[in-house]
Structures are given as structure tokens and as C-alpha cells.
Amino acid sequence: MTTLKLLPFPLVLLVLQVRLSTPLEDNKIPPSLCTGHPGIPGSPGVNGSPGLPGRDGRDGRDSAPGEKGEKGDMGAPGETGGQGLTGERGDPGERGQKGEAGQCAVAPKSAFSAKVSEGRDLPLPVGDAVRFDKILLNQQGDYNPETGRFTCKVPGVYYFAVHATVYRISLQFDLMKNGHAVASYFQFFGNWPKPVSLSGGSLLHLVPGDQVWIQMALGEYNGFYSSTKTDSTFSGFLVYSDWKNSAVFA
């Protein structure tokens, strides 16, 4: 039988307190038993290495349009393309205005011949045009038997000729162009029993509107004679034209 010894009361409480306390694990002191003051802030850390590139972001929304860029350089010409298909025939256009008359495609003509008719009152007054009133040829109508004057219509060179019968009176006349004598002819009659003749001719350059005629020169030498046996004639014709742009003269 064990004998229980009584210990003093304060010692008993100490023993019970030691036995009832939880033993310390690994010699660690609980934080609750050793709380200290906050430490001093540490120095900033060294910058880290650059990270990997991020993925492309999504298209922006509702952003303002950017400014227009400058015009780029012209590119090199491309190769010539193949010939296209023939298009459909278009509608006929409106009729154009009538053009001006072209140059004559046929050689122009001008010729006449006339004589003094029988029974005419002779001699003729000085300064008057001799009217060769009987037409032999005048297809173009350039000679007027009423006035005795030829009027040019076709520009060019003409030849004019006069064949006069001189009888009973001497004769002198002029070949006139626009009121100016270009040639003069004279035949003296010496009381011969038969008539004599006086002929003359000349080349003249004319333009449209020019006039040519035969005119008496002197009062005492003014006799043209005409009968059934002899005539006095005035003739003229175009030698060549100045219409060089014509198809005939090109």
C-alpha cells in the first residue's frame, strides 16, 4: 500500500500547471508570445526582362478616320490587252449641213462668135461698142449681142479675134477691156473697087466680171461692112482656166 504524501499547496498547483500545459513542438515559439515591431521597407527590386510580344489586338471601334495619305507614285504601264470584241452598230446620226460647192470636176468652157448682120446702119458712132448682133456660137451665154460685150465668168486666159471687112470707108477700132484699150487696129481704104479685110487678135487674162468689147476709135475711120458675100466677126474663147484646184487641173 502506497503511502500518499501530502505536499504543500503552492507546489501542488505548480506541478499541476506544468503537467496540464501543451508541450512546445519543435522548440517553436508561438507568435502570440513574441510579437515584434514592423520592419523597415526593403529596397526596390531590379527591373525584370521584357515580356513576350502580345497578340494582335482587335479592330478598333468608333474611332475617328485617319488623315488621307499622299498620292503614291504611278505604277509601270501594264501590258497591252487583247483586242476587244466589235461592238454593236450604233444608231444613224443626224444629217449634217450641206457643204459648200466644190471645184468644177469638168474642164470649164467659154466661147462665142458673132457677126454684124446685113443691112446694119453704118458707120457707127465713135466711142460706142460695135454690136455684133448675129450669134454664130454662144452656148455659155457669156457674150451679150444687145451690148456687144463679153463678160467673163471663168477666170483664165482668153483669145479674142476680130475679122472686119473694110469697104468705102477706112476703119480703125480698139479692143477694149474694162474701158481701156488693150490693142488698136487700122486699115486704110483707097477707093478700091473691091473690099479689103482687117484682122487682129490678142490674148487677155480675165477674172470673173471683166468685160471685153470692140469700140470705134476715130470718127472718119469707122466703117464695118457686111454683105451676103463678106462678113465682119468678133470671136473669143477660153484658152486655159485658173481653177487649178479642180480635179481636171490638179
Side-chain angles (χ1 to χ4, degrees):
M1 182 172 178
T2 303
T3 301
L4 179 60
K5 294 181 178 181
L6 296 176
L7 297 176
F9 179 77
L11 182 61
V12 173
L13 290 177
L14 179 62
V15 173
L16 289 176
Q17 185 177 1
V18 172
R19 290 182 178 178
L20 293 175
S21 298
T22 305
L24 294 177
E25 296 179 0
D26 301 328
N27 295 322
K28 291 182 179 181
I29 300 174
S32 60
L33 299 179
C34 55
T35 301
H37 295 288
I40 300 173
S43 301
V46 181
N47 292 334
S49 301
L52 297 176
R55 294 180 298 176
D56 293 339
R58 294 182 300 173
D59 294 337
R61 297 180 181 178
D62 302 331
S63 43
E67 296 181 358
K68 185 176 180 180
E70 296 181 358
K71 185 177 180 179
D73 297 335
M74 180 181 292
E79 297 181 359
T80 303
Q83 183 175 357
L85 300 176
T86 302
E88 297 181 359
R89 186 173 183 178
D91 297 331
E94 297 181 0
R95 185 174 181 178
Q97 297 181 355
K98 185 177 181 180
E100 298 180 357
Q103 297 290 344
C104 182
V106 179
K109 300 177 182 179
S110 180
F112 77 95
S113 183
K115 67 179 182 178
V116 176
S117 61
E118 301 172 18
R120 287 282 305 278
D121 292 335
L122 299 175
L124 300 173
V126 176
D128 285 356
V130 179
R131 292 185 294 110
F132 296 84
D133 57 325
K134 190 171 183 177
I135 298 297
L136 301 177
L137 176 69
N138 192 27
Q139 293 181 347
Q140 291 76 36
D142 296 341
Y143 175 75
N144 186 348
E146 298 295 329
T147 62
R149 301 190 180 203
F150 169 86
T151 303
C152 173
K153 295 178 183 177
V154 179
V157 174
Y158 290 78
Y159 180 75
F160 295 93
V162 180
H163 300 282
T165 297
V166 181
Y167 186 55
R168 299 174 184 172
I169 302 176
S170 298
L171 177 63
Q172 183 173 353
F173 61 85
D174 296 329
L175 179 63
M176 307 292 293
K177 173 186 174 183
N178 297 333
H180 301 281
V182 294
S184 297
Y185 306 91
F186 173 76
Q187 174 62 56
F188 176 78
F189 182 73
N191 294 321
W192 301 304
K194 294 183 179 180
V196 294
S197 62
L198 171 61
S199 298
S202 181
L203 283 168
L204 298 178
H205 182 270
L206 304 179
V207 297
D210 285 347
Q211 290 188 335
V212 177
W213 66 92
I214 300 300
Q215 181 172 297
M216 304 307 303
L218 295 175
E220 62 270 27
Y221 304 137
N222 60 0
F224 273 93
Y225 182 79
S226 179
S227 68
T228 58
K229 299 294 184 178
T230 184
D231 291 303
S232 294
T233 63
F234 178 37
S235 303
F237 58 88
L238 176 66
V239 179
Y240 62 85
S241 170
D242 284 343
W243 281 341
K244 298 178 181 180
N245 293 331
S246 171
V248 175
F249 306 106

